[in-house]
Amino acid sequence: MSCLWVAAAVLFAVKIIQKAAFVFQQCRYQKRRLLYWLKEHSFLFHKYLLAHLFLWTVFFLFRHKNILVIGLCIEGLAVLLWRRLADDRPAITARMKRLLSVCFLLVAVSAWGCSYHFAAMWLYALFFPLWCWILFFAVALLLTPIEYLIKRCYVRMAKQKLRSLRTLKKVGITGSYGKTSTKQILLHLIRLEFNTCASPASFNNEMGLTRTIREHLKPRHEVFLAEMGADHVKEITRLAALIKPSIAIITGIAPQHLQTFGSMEHILREKMQLVEALPANGTAIINMDNPYIRSYAIQNHCRIIRYGIDSADVDLRAVHVKVNHYGTSFLLLYEGQSIPLHTHLLGKQHVLNILAAIACARTLGISWDIIRKRVAQIPDVAHRMQLLCQRDYYVIDNAYNSNPASAAYALEVLSQMKGRKIVMTPGFVDLGDYQKEAHRTFGKQIAQCASIVILVGRHQIQAIYDGLLEACFAKEAIHIATDREMAFTILRRLVKSGDIVLIENDLPQVFNR
């Protein structure tokens, strides 16, 4: 019976620990962010915990071990099957394997230790869901020194490999938005002239870049494009020390990760550390349309290339920007030249990304004839202002841009399109105390161009809803969906021929609250 009790406990723990592991991974393995998520989402557990406590209070009345074992088996199976189609499974990395193995081992050991006494078994089962979360957090905390040592070992190996590639040109790309798009556009512009390695997908933290260097960077490569993300102070400093780029691109700075950064001043200072870390013969490429970047006094005497659309005092400027269903056309002003360009990509945000990529390509020696031809051939950047034709209506997929600045750019593009406009969004996360204000402003911006709005989530969308109503948006045109599946069901019911649908952000379900 003890073996069955232990098996039931492990079965019960599978779904709970899987959920904890998924959230932890989405929080970038940061224990502080996990605690914040638990605080923000504690309401999700209330109804289940009340039902669980009631059930085990009833089981206690029977005062028989067999009843407890059967009850744990039944509830464990029910929890395992609960929302089995939900996308809440963590990616099974080496680190996750270590974490899960220790967690399930401790669940089994603790269950075995309680299996000899009825009262201990009952108390164990009564607090089991809470125990699983506490256990997971404790294991994550205890494994921190081991993970740190493993991480340092891999970083050391990556640094040694970079030092051995002495002729490699290294480009660092950072910002609150536009990093991945700029990286992919730049790769398209230079890939035939230079054997180029770019960090895949959004591998933009220390371990992501370390893995890229170890697994993807080869001696044959001539240029390395390193996307650099940061959600806390000192992260860009560490990445710059790892990569040691000679070219830095700062795409833009906006409120993001305020929960961990604490203030916009910290975000600005941290992102600009990539420029400050450049050697004296390095080149910084910065977006002067961004008010935060304009206000920053660069302390480095390296070469500075400035670009923008609205700013006149820049080296590369795009004017006469026009957007339609076929893409974006603009006139590039550079050193007295006027160069007409067209791209299939949509909107001013992508124009800014293209300007940054062109500045870097020119620094690397790519000719204007090649640049003009390749700008017209830039492929869509997946989930970043990507225009998709769905039978008889269009979708602007901006699912991977999740900050107020990118959302404002997306709404500007939407407003220039012909047809009835639908916006579907869960809003933003990780903005700390600024989040409600950002959502309220976002709601007012949506009201200026949309005819129908689908809000996804529960509590976090309230400020968007309030902003819509403050802007006198029709209440009956606002639809609430509790999850992504429900949102698309509503969309399929409402969408008509000729409509333009903007999908702004696509949070993992775990962050919709």
Side-chain angles (χ1 to χ4, degrees):
M1 188 59 72
S2 294
C3 292
L4 185 58
W5 169 259
V6 172
V10 173
L11 177 73
F12 197 169
V14 166
K15 189 74 177 184
I16 300 173
I17 291 179
Q18 174 186 298
K19 184 76 171 183
F22 177 72
V23 174
F24 190 44
Q25 205 168 58
Q26 292 294 319
C27 292
R28 295 192 174 193
Y29 297 105
Q30 293 178 22
K31 291 165 282 297
R32 197 168 136 198
R33 292 183 72 181
L34 176 61
L35 286 174
Y36 177 73
W37 183 92
L38 288 169
K39 178 185 174 183
E40 289 289 298
H41 295 77
S42 59
F43 67 93
L44 293 175
F45 305 101
H46 291 169
K47 290 182 181 178
Y48 167 68
L49 286 178
L50 286 173
H52 174 81
L53 292 173
F54 174 77
L55 180 67
W56 284 92
T57 302
V58 172
F59 285 157
F60 179 75
L61 300 176
F62 289 93
R63 292 189 171 276
H64 199 286
K65 283 186 179 182
N66 291 349
I67 295 295
L68 298 184
V69 173
I70 293 169
L72 196 66
C73 286
I74 293 172
E75 190 176 359
L77 187 61
V79 169
L80 190 66
L81 296 176
W82 175 62
R83 294 187 67 189
R84 63 187 182 278
L85 298 178
D87 184 20
D88 59 355
R89 294 181 182 178
I92 305 301
T93 61
R95 178 173 184 173
M96 192 54 67
K97 287 178 183 177
R98 290 189 291 270
L99 186 56
L100 294 177
S101 298
V102 176
C103 282
F104 286 120
L105 176 63
L106 291 179
V107 166
V109 170
S110 58
W112 184 270
C114 295
S115 64
Y116 296 99
H117 303 283
F118 173 82
M121 289 173 66
W122 178 75
L123 286 171
Y124 183 78
L126 185 68
F127 295 105
F128 190 77
L130 182 62
W131 162 242
C132 284
W133 278 93
I134 293 172
L135 178 67
F136 181 88
F137 188 84
V139 170
L141 195 63
L142 289 171
L143 290 181
T144 297
I146 296 172
E147 298 299 339
Y148 177 79
L149 291 174
I150 293 171
K151 183 177 177 179
R152 288 300 101 199
C153 178
Y154 284 137
V155 169
R156 227 174 10 252
M157 292 166 64
K159 285 182 176 180
Q160 288 172 355
K161 186 171 184 178
L162 283 175
R163 280 196 295 269
S164 70
L165 304 174
R166 297 184 179 181
T167 61
L168 182 70
K169 296 179 177 69
K170 293 165 285 187
V171 181
I173 305 170
T174 194
S176 301
Y177 53 86
K179 298 183 295 293
T180 303
S181 299
T182 301
K183 177 187 67 181
Q184 294 187 15
I185 292 167
L186 178 56
L187 176 63
H188 175 76
L189 295 183
I190 69 171
R191 61 188 173 83
L192 295 182
E193 280 64 42
F194 295 98
N195 199 326
T196 306
C197 174
S199 52
S202 292
F203 278 35
N204 58 20
N205 60 11
E206 191 172 31
M207 289 313 295
L209 287 174
T210 296
R211 182 177 173 186
T212 300
I213 293 164
R214 294 179 60 247
E215 297 179 5
H216 300 278
L217 189 61
K218 307 296 180 186
R220 67 174 182 273
H221 286 128
E222 300 167 283
V223 177
F224 178 37
L225 306 182
E227 179 183 337
M228 299 181 181
D231 59 11
H232 56 275
V233 174
K234 299 294 185 185
E235 193 165 8
I236 291 295
T237 304
R238 282 196 295 271
L239 295 179
L242 168 64
I243 304 298
K244 296 186 183 301
S246 58
I247 301 174
I249 299 175
I250 314 295
T251 59
I253 293 170
Q256 196 175 39
H257 305 305
L258 277 169
Q259 189 64 38
T260 47
F261 271 116
S263 69
M264 279 305 303
E265 289 77 12
H266 290 159
I267 295 175
L268 174 61
R269 197 178 307 117
E270 185 60 28
K271 298 292 186 181
M272 296 304 288
Q273 288 308 301
L274 186 59
V275 174
E276 304 293 5
L278 288 173
N281 62 348
T283 300
I285 300 167
I286 59 176
N287 175 10
M288 293 301 284
D289 277 3
N290 187 272
Y292 296 105
I293 295 176
R294 286 187 71 90
S295 69
Y296 185 83
I298 296 173
Q299 302 300 312
N300 197 329
H301 297 292
C302 64
R303 180 189 179 202
I304 307 290
I305 300 177
R306 298 168 176 84
Y307 68 92
I309 297 173
D310 300 322
S311 303
D313 55 337
V314 292
D315 301 294
L316 288 88
R317 186 182 183 192
V319 296
H320 306 310
V321 179
K322 296 179 182 179
V323 181
N324 56 36
H325 290 74
Y326 303 103
T328 307
S329 60
F330 60 96
L331 192 66
L332 174 62
L333 306 181
Y334 177 74
E335 293 184 345
Q337 301 180 68
S338 297
I339 304 167
L341 295 172
H342 181 271
T343 176
H344 296 295
L345 305 182
L346 291 177
K348 283 187 176 181
Q349 183 176 343
H350 272 316
V351 172
L352 288 168
N353 297 335
I354 290 169
L355 291 180
I358 288 174
C360 187
R362 288 293 297 159
T363 301
L364 293 171
I366 305 298
S367 71
W368 279 113
D369 288 339
I370 291 173
I371 288 172
R372 187 185 293 110
K373 184 187 301 182
R374 289 191 189 152
V375 165
Q377 300 168 347
I378 295 171
D380 288 334
V381 183
H383 309 298
R384 292 168 174 88
M385 293 303 295
Q386 183 180 11
L387 184 65
L388 305 171
C389 183
Q390 301 290 329
R391 298 191 304 276
D392 54 354
Y393 66 93
Y394 289 94
V395 172
I396 300 175
D397 181 357
N398 202 36
Y400 284 8
N401 279 326
S402 58
N403 63 79
S406 294
Y409 278 124
L411 291 174
E412 183 181 354
V413 171
L414 183 67
S415 67
Q416 297 177 55
M417 295 290 195
K418 294 180 180 179
R420 191 178 65 154
K421 300 166 180 68
I422 301 173
V423 174
M424 183 166 75
T425 182
F428 318 119
V429 293
D430 213 8
L431 295 181
D433 295 336
Y434 175 66
Q435 188 153 304
K436 284 188 178 179
E437 181 186 341
H439 276 166
R440 191 179 296 271
T441 301
F442 186 36
K444 293 176 181 178
Q445 292 170 336
I446 293 172
Q448 301 304 311
C449 62
S451 301
I452 296 173
V453 178
I454 303 171
L455 299 178
V456 188
R458 296 180 179 86
H459 301 286
Q460 95 271 6
I461 60 170
Q462 184 60 49
I464 305 176
Y465 185 87
D466 293 341
L468 286 164
L469 295 185
E470 284 179 25
C472 301
F473 193 81
K475 193 172 182 179
E476 59 273 15
I478 305 173
H479 302 267
I480 309 296
T482 55
D483 55 40
R484 186 186 307 154
E485 290 74 20
M486 183 178 176
F488 278 102
T489 300
I490 294 172
L491 177 63
R492 285 190 290 269
R493 175 167 54 85
L494 296 175
V495 71
K496 295 179 181 179
S497 177
D499 286 353
I500 306 291
V501 180
L502 171 63
I503 300 176
E504 179 54 46
N505 202 2
D506 184 22
L507 296 175
Q509 200 61 39
V510 70
F511 288 109
N512 285 339
R513 57 181 183 84

